[in-house]
PDB file of all heavy atoms in Angstrom:
ATOM      1  N   HIS U  18      54.510  35.723   0.951  1.00  0.00           N
ATOM      2  CA  HIS U  18      53.347  36.509   0.429  1.00  0.00           C
ATOM      3  C   HIS U  18      53.432  37.929   0.890  1.00  0.00           C
ATOM      4  O   HIS U  18      53.818  38.231   2.049  1.00  0.00           O
ATOM      5  CB  HIS U  18      52.034  35.895   0.926  1.00  0.00           C
ATOM      6  CG  HIS U  18      51.796  34.522   0.584  1.00  0.00           C
ATOM      7  ND1 HIS U  18      51.565  34.147  -0.708  1.00  0.00           N
ATOM      8  CD2 HIS U  18      51.757  33.382   1.251  1.00  0.00           C
ATOM      9  CE1 HIS U  18      51.396  32.854  -0.812  1.00  0.00           C
ATOM     10  NE2 HIS U  18      51.545  32.367   0.407  1.00  0.00           N
ATOM     11  N   ARG U  19      53.124  38.844   0.024  1.00  0.00           N
ATOM     12  CA  ARG U  19      53.074  40.266   0.312  1.00  0.00           C
ATOM     13  C   ARG U  19      51.739  40.800  -0.144  1.00  0.00           C
ATOM     14  O   ARG U  19      51.256  40.453  -1.178  1.00  0.00           O
ATOM     15  CB  ARG U  19      54.204  40.957  -0.392  1.00  0.00           C
ATOM     16  CG  ARG U  19      54.333  42.428   0.006  1.00  0.00           C
ATOM     17  CD  ARG U  19      55.484  43.069  -0.764  1.00  0.00           C
ATOM     18  NE  ARG U  19      55.597  44.375  -0.381  1.00  0.00           N
ATOM     19  CZ  ARG U  19      56.565  44.861   0.445  1.00  0.00           C
ATOM     20  NH1 ARG U  19      57.402  44.020   0.968  1.00  0.00           N
ATOM     21  NH2 ARG U  19      56.645  46.117   0.741  1.00  0.00           N
ATOM     22  N   LEU U  20      51.110  41.604   0.752  1.00  0.00           N
ATOM     23  CA  LEU U  20      49.742  42.082   0.492  1.00  0.00           C
ATOM     24  C   LEU U  20      49.764  43.592   0.578  1.00  0.00           C
ATOM     25  O   LEU U  20      50.093  44.172   1.659  1.00  0.00           O
ATOM     26  CB  LEU U  20      48.821  41.490   1.496  1.00  0.00           C
ATOM     27  CG  LEU U  20      47.333  41.873   1.472  1.00  0.00           C
ATOM     28  CD1 LEU U  20      46.740  41.515   0.168  1.00  0.00           C
ATOM     29  CD2 LEU U  20      46.617  41.244   2.599  1.00  0.00           C
ATOM     30  N   GLU U  21      49.472  44.275  -0.478  1.00  0.00           N
ATOM     31  CA  GLU U  21      49.325  45.728  -0.519  1.00  0.00           C
ATOM     32  C   GLU U  21      47.854  46.073  -0.354  1.00  0.00           C
ATOM     33  O   GLU U  21      47.019  45.715  -1.140  1.00  0.00           O
ATOM     34  CB  GLU U  21      49.838  46.296  -1.831  1.00  0.00           C
ATOM     35  CG  GLU U  21      51.301  46.167  -2.077  1.00  0.00           C
ATOM     36  CD  GLU U  21      52.176  47.032  -1.148  1.00  0.00           C
ATOM     37  OE1 GLU U  21      51.672  48.045  -0.667  1.00  0.00           O
ATOM     38  OE2 GLU U  21      53.324  46.697  -0.951  1.00  0.00           O
ATOM     39  N   LEU U  22      47.546  46.677   0.792  1.00  0.00           N
ATOM     40  CA  LEU U  22      46.125  46.959   1.101  1.00  0.00           C
ATOM     41  C   LEU U  22      45.649  48.256   0.505  1.00  0.00           C
ATOM     42  O   LEU U  22      44.480  48.427   0.219  1.00  0.00           O
ATOM     43  CB  LEU U  22      45.957  46.949   2.611  1.00  0.00           C
ATOM     44  CG  LEU U  22      46.256  45.654   3.293  1.00  0.00           C
ATOM     45  CD1 LEU U  22      46.250  45.824   4.851  1.00  0.00           C
ATOM     46  CD2 LEU U  22      45.281  44.602   2.886  1.00  0.00           C
ATOM     47  N   GLY U  23      46.522  49.261   0.458  1.00  0.00           N
ATOM     48  CA  GLY U  23      46.111  50.576   0.004  1.00  0.00           C
ATOM     49  C   GLY U  23      45.339  51.368   1.081  1.00  0.00           C
ATOM     50  O   GLY U  23      45.055  52.546   0.839  1.00  0.00           O
ATOM     51  N   GLU U  24      45.081  50.808   2.226  1.00  0.00           N
ATOM     52  CA  GLU U  24      44.369  51.405   3.316  1.00  0.00           C
ATOM     53  C   GLU U  24      45.000  50.874   4.569  1.00  0.00           C
ATOM     54  O   GLU U  24      45.633  49.825   4.578  1.00  0.00           O
ATOM     55  CB  GLU U  24      42.899  51.102   3.313  1.00  0.00           C
ATOM     56  CG  GLU U  24      42.170  51.525   2.031  1.00  0.00           C
ATOM     57  CD  GLU U  24      40.750  51.035   1.998  1.00  0.00           C
ATOM     58  OE1 GLU U  24      40.019  51.353   2.914  1.00  0.00           O
ATOM     59  OE2 GLU U  24      40.409  50.272   1.087  1.00  0.00           O
ATOM     60  N   GLU U  25      44.800  51.537   5.689  1.00  0.00           N
ATOM     61  CA  GLU U  25      45.357  51.070   6.959  1.00  0.00           C
ATOM     62  C   GLU U  25      44.504  49.939   7.535  1.00  0.00           C
ATOM     63  O   GLU U  25      43.276  50.052   7.607  1.00  0.00           O
ATOM     64  CB  GLU U  25      45.395  52.245   7.930  1.00  0.00           C
ATOM     65  CG  GLU U  25      46.439  53.288   7.516  1.00  0.00           C
ATOM     66  CD  GLU U  25      46.420  54.465   8.459  1.00  0.00           C
ATOM     67  OE1 GLU U  25      45.500  54.610   9.269  1.00  0.00           O
ATOM     68  OE2 GLU U  25      47.386  55.280   8.316  1.00  0.00           O
ATOM     69  N   ALA U  26      45.159  48.877   7.931  1.00  0.00           N
ATOM     70  CA  ALA U  26      44.498  47.753   8.581  1.00  0.00           C
ATOM     71  C   ALA U  26      44.332  48.047  10.065  1.00  0.00           C
ATOM     72  O   ALA U  26      45.300  48.485  10.783  1.00  0.00           O
ATOM     73  CB  ALA U  26      45.305  46.479   8.351  1.00  0.00           C
ATOM     74  N   PHE U  27      43.162  47.821  10.628  1.00  0.00           N
ATOM     75  CA  PHE U  27      42.960  47.930  12.041  1.00  0.00           C
ATOM     76  C   PHE U  27      43.032  46.571  12.764  1.00  0.00           C
ATOM     77  O   PHE U  27      43.402  46.461  13.867  1.00  0.00           O
ATOM     78  CB  PHE U  27      41.523  48.484  12.288  1.00  0.00           C
ATOM     79  CG  PHE U  27      41.522  49.858  12.894  1.00  0.00           C
ATOM     80  CD1 PHE U  27      42.098  50.937  12.282  1.00  0.00           C
ATOM     81  CD2 PHE U  27      40.930  50.078  14.142  1.00  0.00           C
ATOM     82  CE1 PHE U  27      42.111  52.152  12.878  1.00  0.00           C
ATOM     83  CE2 PHE U  27      40.962  51.307  14.768  1.00  0.00           C
ATOM     84  CZ  PHE U  27      41.503  52.390  14.066  1.00  0.00           C
ATOM     85  N   THR U  28      42.666  45.499  12.014  1.00  0.00           N
ATOM     86  CA  THR U  28      42.643  44.180  12.612  1.00  0.00           C
ATOM     87  C   THR U  28      42.808  43.101  11.581  1.00  0.00           C
ATOM     88  O   THR U  28      42.458  43.329  10.401  1.00  0.00           O
ATOM     89  CB  THR U  28      41.272  43.977  13.388  1.00  0.00           C
ATOM     90  OG1 THR U  28      41.232  42.670  14.001  1.00  0.00           O
ATOM     91  CG2 THR U  28      40.098  44.086  12.426  1.00  0.00           C
ATOM     92  N   ILE U  29      43.333  41.958  11.998  1.00  0.00           N
ATOM     93  CA  ILE U  29      43.453  40.826  11.084  1.00  0.00           C
ATOM     94  C   ILE U  29      43.109  39.567  11.826  1.00  0.00           C
ATOM     95  O   ILE U  29      43.190  39.552  13.113  1.00  0.00           O
ATOM     96  CB  ILE U  29      44.900  40.704  10.510  1.00  0.00           C
ATOM     97  CG1 ILE U  29      45.951  40.389  11.599  1.00  0.00           C
ATOM     98  CG2 ILE U  29      45.284  41.871   9.673  1.00  0.00           C
ATOM     99  CD1 ILE U  29      47.287  40.034  11.073  1.00  0.00           C
ATOM    100  N   ALA U  30      42.697  38.547  11.109  1.00  0.00           N
ATOM    101  CA  ALA U  30      42.341  37.241  11.754  1.00  0.00           C
ATOM    102  C   ALA U  30      42.753  36.170  10.749  1.00  0.00           C
ATOM    103  O   ALA U  30      42.494  36.275   9.535  1.00  0.00           O
ATOM    104  CB  ALA U  30      40.886  37.184  12.085  1.00  0.00           C
ATOM    105  N   LEU U  31      43.316  35.080  11.234  1.00  0.00           N
ATOM    106  CA  LEU U  31      43.626  33.908  10.423  1.00  0.00           C
ATOM    107  C   LEU U  31      42.585  32.828  10.719  1.00  0.00           C
ATOM    108  O   LEU U  31      42.149  32.637  11.854  1.00  0.00           O
ATOM    109  CB  LEU U  31      45.008  33.354  10.781  1.00  0.00           C
ATOM    110  CG  LEU U  31      46.163  34.274  10.406  1.00  0.00           C
ATOM    111  CD1 LEU U  31      47.469  33.800  11.009  1.00  0.00           C
ATOM    112  CD2 LEU U  31      46.308  34.462   8.910  1.00  0.00           C
ATOM    113  N   HIS U  32      42.165  32.172   9.670  1.00  0.00           N
ATOM    114  CA  HIS U  32      41.208  31.071   9.805  1.00  0.00           C
ATOM    115  C   HIS U  32      41.867  29.953  10.593  1.00  0.00           C
ATOM    116  O   HIS U  32      43.058  29.684  10.482  1.00  0.00           O
ATOM    117  CB  HIS U  32      40.833  30.587   8.353  1.00  0.00           C
ATOM    118  CG  HIS U  32      39.661  29.640   8.338  1.00  0.00           C
ATOM    119  ND1 HIS U  32      39.845  28.288   8.587  1.00  0.00           N
ATOM    120  CD2 HIS U  32      38.363  29.824   8.107  1.00  0.00           C
ATOM    121  CE1 HIS U  32      38.657  27.711   8.514  1.00  0.00           C
ATOM    122  NE2 HIS U  32      37.747  28.633   8.216  1.00  0.00           N
ATOM    123  N   PRO U  33      41.080  29.253  11.443  1.00  0.00           N
ATOM    124  CA  PRO U  33      41.631  28.184  12.272  1.00  0.00           C
ATOM    125  C   PRO U  33      42.175  26.988  11.551  1.00  0.00           C
ATOM    126  O   PRO U  33      43.020  26.283  12.088  1.00  0.00           O
ATOM    127  CB  PRO U  33      40.526  27.824  13.167  1.00  0.00           C
ATOM    128  CG  PRO U  33      39.289  28.270  12.542  1.00  0.00           C
ATOM    129  CD  PRO U  33      39.645  29.483  11.688  1.00  0.00           C
ATOM    130  N   SER U  34      41.725  26.744  10.333  1.00  0.00           N
ATOM    131  CA  SER U  34      42.182  25.490   9.642  1.00  0.00           C
ATOM    132  C   SER U  34      42.481  25.598   8.129  1.00  0.00           C
ATOM    133  O   SER U  34      42.967  24.723   7.535  1.00  0.00           O
ATOM    134  CB  SER U  34      41.195  24.342   9.838  1.00  0.00           C
ATOM    135  OG  SER U  34      39.921  24.729   9.240  1.00  0.00           O
ATOM    136  N   ARG U  35      42.150  26.787   7.585  1.00  0.00           N
ATOM    137  CA  ARG U  35      42.351  27.004   6.124  1.00  0.00           C
ATOM    138  C   ARG U  35      43.274  28.190   5.916  1.00  0.00           C
ATOM    139  O   ARG U  35      43.376  29.042   6.826  1.00  0.00           O
ATOM    140  CB  ARG U  35      41.051  27.208   5.428  1.00  0.00           C
ATOM    141  CG  ARG U  35      40.125  25.975   5.517  1.00  0.00           C
ATOM    142  CD  ARG U  35      38.807  26.240   4.854  1.00  0.00           C
ATOM    143  NE  ARG U  35      38.981  26.687   3.472  1.00  0.00           N
ATOM    144  CZ  ARG U  35      37.972  27.310   2.792  1.00  0.00           C
ATOM    145  NH1 ARG U  35      36.840  27.578   3.376  1.00  0.00           N
ATOM    146  NH2 ARG U  35      38.206  27.712   1.521  1.00  0.00           N
TER     147      ARG U  35
END
Side-chain angles (χ1 to χ4, degrees):
H18 300 294
R19 186 178 181 105
L20 178 61
E21 293 289 337
L22 298 171
E24 302 173 59
E25 293 175 348
F27 245 62
T28 181
I29 62 171
L31 293 171
H32 191 277
S34 61
R35 295 178 55 201

